[in-house]
Amino acid sequence: MIFIAVRFDVRPEHSDTWLARVDDFTRATREEPGNLFFDWSRSVDDPNRYTLLEAFADAEAGSAHVASAHFAAGMETLAGAIAATPEIINVEVPGQGWSAMTELTPRG
């Protein structure tokens, strides 16, 4: 699986509307056959920072994502709202998604 984490520093005037701004891009990506997950979170320390965790079944699925029309449209939309070039981690890892955490389970 291709696992990607991207950190976005957003211009303050766009931080409260960020999730609405990325909604079309998010929905289209989640519909891709090779997408395993595509999840946004907002920093608890910096309201202008969002992190995207995404995964694709394999390199082919990741390449198809980057070549898609909605990716190009998303990059154009995001470019007008970011304060800095995003930081990215892009690695290939074994598996096809999330695994259960063995160190922690719910108590009765």
Side-chain angles (χ1 to χ4, degrees):
M1 141 177 106
I2 304 301
F3 174 77
I4 304 165
V6 188
R7 208 161 39 184
F8 294 85
D9 288 323
V10 178
R11 293 179 188 164
E13 64 270 23
H14 297 295
S15 57
D16 286 339
T17 59
W18 181 259
L19 293 177
R21 178 179 292 271
V22 300
D23 188 59
D24 288 344
F25 177 48
T26 299
R27 288 178 189 274
T29 301
R30 287 177 176 169
E31 291 176 7
E32 293 176 22
N35 180 256
L36 301 175
F37 56 86
F38 196 85
D39 298 324
W40 292 96
S41 63
R42 191 176 195 177
S43 171
V44 297
D45 298 319
D46 181 350
N48 300 321
R49 176 170 282 174
Y50 284 84
T51 300
L52 172 62
L53 297 181
E54 57 185 306
F56 297 89
D58 51 33
E60 184 178 310
S63 294
H65 169 64
V66 173
S68 70
H70 61 266
F71 182 86
M75 296 304 99
E76 184 64 30
T77 298
L78 300 181
I82 58 174
T85 300
E87 298 174 301
I88 189 169
I89 298 169
N90 183 329
V91 295
E92 188 170 341
V93 297
Q96 285 296 300
W98 296 95
S99 299
M101 183 178 173
T102 59
E103 298 84 3
L104 183 64
T105 58
R107 290 192 183 143

